[in-house]
Structure formats: structure tokens, C-alpha cells
């Protein structure tokens, strides 16, 4: 059984964001992944803040 991928630290969030940037991810994609994969509010806020600076709308 495959377990759901979760982002549980700022370091993993940075790695995932780098992957999104490299693959042309958009801000809407980041918002979806934040809601789906990040349960820690601090990490979610950090990820979304980085997304606002690095990704296009």
C-alpha cells in the first residue's frame, strides 16, 4: 500500500518548492498541495509564503 506523501518540515517544503519551480508549477498548484500534504500550520504558512514569492499566479 502506498502511503500519502506529507510535507512535515520546512526543509522538505523547500525541496518540494524547488521541484515545483523547476517544473513550472503555479501558485494554484502550491495552494492545493499545501491543503493536501501539509498539516502543520507553521510549515503550511512557510510553504505558501515561499510560493507567493517564487511561483506565478
Amino acid at each position: 500500500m502506498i502511503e500519502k506523501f506529507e510535507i512535515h518540515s520546512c526543509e522538505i517544503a523547500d525541496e518540494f518548492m524547488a521541484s515545483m519551480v523547476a517544473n513550472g508549477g503555479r501558485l494554484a498548484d502550491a495552494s492545493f498541495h499545501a491543503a493536501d500534504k501539509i498539516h502543520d500550520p507553521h510549515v503550511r504558512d512557510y510553504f505558501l509564503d515561499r510560493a507567493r514569492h517564487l511561483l506565478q499566479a
Side-chain angles (χ1 to χ4, degrees):
M1 175 183 258
I2 298 174
E3 292 186 33
K4 185 176 177 180
F5 172 73
E6 293 183 8
I7 299 170
H8 54 82
S9 71
C10 292
E11 291 79 18
I12 294 172
D14 282 339
E15 291 175 15
F16 190 69
M17 181 59 60
S19 174
M20 289 189 69
V21 169
N23 290 304
R26 310 215 19 111
L27 187 54
D29 301 328
S31 295
F32 168 79
H33 289 303
D36 186 53
K37 300 178 182 344
I38 306 174
H39 302 290
D40 181 327
H42 169 74
V43 176
R44 186 181 314 117
D45 290 344
Y46 173 81
F47 180 78
L48 289 172
D49 184 56
R50 300 278 294 150
R52 283 185 210 96
H53 289 93
L54 297 172
L55 300 175
Q56 295 180 7

